[in-house]
């Protein structure tokens, strides 16, 4: 048939292959070492030779071998990023910052989610070490030997958003949560609130001394303002939406005289909003609500939520920059602390003179 190719035609057709550095050198009329200097940007080469080599590389569509480059430089050009949840708005913004910085540095990013599980995090870190990534940026779920193992293997590590006290040798990029929480408490007190609740995360049975930065600052700020720190106005939730809703319901129903609440994260803030709606509480007439993390839906609430904005994207970008510092400078550095901003919206107002009756409406 006229439209069919013969076996001989197929056999005679040249098989395409990727161009090599030798092909580029042959096309440009220079040695392989000269091509290597031009493409790596190392060593003296005349401008005319440089242009000739780059033109030959473009014409041959030459791509340097990442594997070969890694063997020579002992770098893979890859960075591991470990976050809690990839669907979390804060984590998504943080990851965007890391990706933006990595792109400018010619690095590619391997994204993993620990879901707050230390066991899963340990497995992820072990796998990244086996893959010989150049470094790891992580929001750590816990302090653990896996981080020390990564350091011993020569892997650079930078923490972002959280930094376990047990690992002070690992540099960190943090938001100034303490200043932000203090500003929020002072704002609520300035509106006239005297019974302010706090919904945080952690083990509900743990003592106050084991609390994180946000709860500790909340307690300290109240005391500095001369306000009583009442134990039953501080409630902790375990990770997860169901626990957040249960903790919010317990907090809002146990103290009808509470006039304001600060949620220590956007998932907790969402829980407070939903429970307040279930209890037919008017915001802010019956209850003022503020939360940590100014996520996109905060402005869409009715009324819009007052929130503490934390620079997630900038934190990710800076963490990637710190990762690329030389080891001596990186290990000597203090934590990078970025400022937060209290965004005041309609969910906060002066307390009502008459405490609201709080009982879930019948469905």
């Amino acid at each position: 048939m006229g439209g069919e190719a013969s076996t001989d035609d197929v056999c005679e057709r040249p098989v395409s292959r990727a161009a090599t550095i030798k092909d580029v050198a042959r096309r440009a009329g220079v040695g392989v070492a000269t091509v290597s200097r031009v493409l790596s940007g190392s060593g003296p080469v005349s401008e005319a030779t440089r242009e000739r080599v780059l033109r030959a590389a473009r014409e041959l569509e030459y791509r340097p071998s990442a594997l070969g480059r890694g063997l020579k430089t002992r770098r893979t050009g890859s960075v591991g990023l470990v976050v809690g949840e990839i669907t979390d708005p804060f984590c998504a913004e943080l990851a965007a910052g890391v990706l933006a910085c990595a792109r400018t540095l010619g690095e590619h990013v391997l994204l993993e989610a620990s879901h707050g599980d230390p066991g899963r995090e340990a497995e992820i870190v072990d796998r990244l070490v086996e893959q010989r990534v150049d470094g790891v940026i992580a929001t750590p779920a816990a302090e653990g030997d896996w981080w020390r193992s990564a350091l011993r293997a020569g892997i650079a590590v930078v923490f972002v958003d959280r930094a376990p006290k047990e690992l002070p040798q690992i540099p960190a990029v943090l938001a100034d949560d303490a200043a932000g929480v203090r500003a929020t408490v002072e704002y609520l007190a300035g509106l006239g609130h005297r019974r302010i609740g706090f919904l945080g995360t952690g083990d509900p049975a743990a003592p106050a001394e084991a609390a994180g930065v946000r709860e500790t600052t909340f307690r300290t700020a109240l005391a500095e303002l001369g306000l009583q720190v009442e134990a039953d106005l501080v409630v902790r939730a375990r990770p997860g939406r169901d626990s957040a809703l249960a903790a919010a319901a317990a907090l809002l129903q146990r103290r009808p005289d509470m006039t304001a609440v600060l949620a220590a994260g956007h998932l907790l803030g969402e829980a407070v909003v939903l429970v307040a709606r279930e209890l037919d509480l008017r915001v802010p007439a019956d209850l003022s609500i503020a939360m940590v993390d100014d996520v996109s839906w905060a402005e869409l609430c009715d009324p819009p939520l007052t929130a503490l904005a934390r620079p997630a994207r900038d934190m990710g970008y800076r963490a990637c920059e710190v990762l690329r510092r030389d080891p001596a400078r990186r290990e000597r550095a203090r934590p990078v602390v970025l400022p937060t901003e209290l965004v005041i919206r309609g969910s906060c107002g002066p307390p009502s003179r008459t405490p609201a009756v709080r009982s879930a409406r019948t469905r």
Side-chain angles (χ1 to χ4, degrees):
M1 299 282 296
E4 296 179 354
S6 69
T7 305
D8 291 341
D9 289 338
V10 174
C11 292
E12 290 173 0
R13 187 176 300 146
V15 178
S16 62
R17 64 175 177 82
T20 67
I21 193 170
K22 292 182 179 179
D23 296 328
V24 176
R26 191 178 302 112
R27 173 70 69 92
V30 297
V32 170
T34 301
V35 175
S36 178
R37 285 198 298 272
V38 170
L39 297 180
S40 65
S42 61
V45 179
S46 70
E47 187 61 28
T49 299
R50 178 177 177 277
E51 288 298 325
R52 196 161 69 249
V53 169
L54 292 177
R55 183 169 59 251
R58 285 194 301 271
E59 292 172 352
L60 294 172
E61 298 182 352
Y62 172 69
R63 298 289 183 272
S65 166
L67 177 59
R69 192 165 57 242
L71 291 173
K72 291 180 180 179
T73 64
R74 295 189 177 183
R75 297 187 70 254
T76 62
S78 60
V79 172
L81 173 59
V82 186
V83 297
E85 297 285 348
I86 58 175
T87 57
D88 181 279
F90 181 87
C91 292
E93 280 293 294
L94 189 150
V98 173
L99 290 169
C101 182
R103 191 178 303 115
T104 66
L105 298 172
E107 304 270 3
H108 67 274
V109 178
L110 306 176
L111 177 61
E112 295 275 5
S114 68
H115 305 298
D117 180 356
R120 182 181 178 89
E121 181 176 83
E123 293 174 1
I124 291 171
V125 174
D126 286 346
R127 186 163 61 249
L128 292 173
V129 170
E130 289 175 0
Q131 294 173 339
R132 301 300 302 172
V133 296
D134 296 330
V136 176
I137 298 169
T139 301
E143 178 276 332
D145 288 337
W146 50 91
W147 296 118
R148 297 183 182 86
S149 296
L151 294 177
R152 287 194 294 269
I155 306 297
V157 178
V158 175
F159 288 149
V160 62
D161 192 33
R162 280 199 297 274
K165 295 178 181 179
E166 299 84 355
L167 297 168
Q169 69 272 37
I170 296 180
V173 177
L174 310 170
D176 196 347
D177 287 353
V181 168
R182 181 173 288 105
T184 306
V185 173
E186 290 174 351
Y187 169 66
L188 293 172
L191 290 173
H193 294 282
R194 296 296 177 265
R195 290 174 296 278
I196 305 171
F198 181 86
L199 183 59
T201 56
D203 182 356
E209 294 75 23
V213 170
R214 297 174 194 176
E215 181 183 326
T216 299
T217 304
F218 173 79
R219 293 174 178 273
T220 302
L222 284 180
E224 290 173 350
L225 291 168
L227 300 179
Q228 186 177 357
V229 182
E230 301 183 52
D232 58 351
L233 285 180
V234 178
V235 175
R236 297 177 191 153
R238 298 186 185 278
R241 182 182 175 86
D242 290 344
S243 180
L245 288 168
L251 177 61
L252 267 60
Q253 291 185 65
R254 72 168 54 161
R255 288 292 297 268
D257 59 338
M258 181 180 66
T259 60
V261 61
L262 171 58
H266 61 83
L267 184 62
L268 300 170
E270 178 186 350
V272 172
V273 170
L274 293 175
V275 172
R277 186 181 302 164
E278 187 73 14
L279 297 174
D280 284 327
L281 295 177
R282 298 167 300 163
V283 177
D286 298 328
L287 181 71
S288 288
I289 301 174
M291 73 175 182
V292 175
D293 282 337
D294 187 22
V295 293
S296 58
W297 58 262
E299 201 169 8
L300 302 177
C301 287
D302 184 21
L305 283 186
T306 292
L308 182 65
R310 303 167 69 241
R313 186 179 291 255
D314 289 346
M315 291 166 67
Y317 199 101
R318 291 292 295 276
C320 190
E321 287 182 328
V322 171
L323 192 72
R324 288 300 303 271
R325 290 176 180 170
D326 65 87
R329 184 176 169 217
R330 186 173 58 240
E331 291 166 6
R332 290 196 308 268
R334 292 183 176 183
V336 176
V337 181
L338 301 183
T340 55
E341 178 187 4
L342 180 61
V343 181
I344 297 173
R345 300 194 180 99
S347 65
C348 294
S352 172
R353 293 184 179 181
T354 306
V357 178
R358 300 178 183 180
S359 58
R361 61 173 177 260
T362 304
R363 290 187 176 275

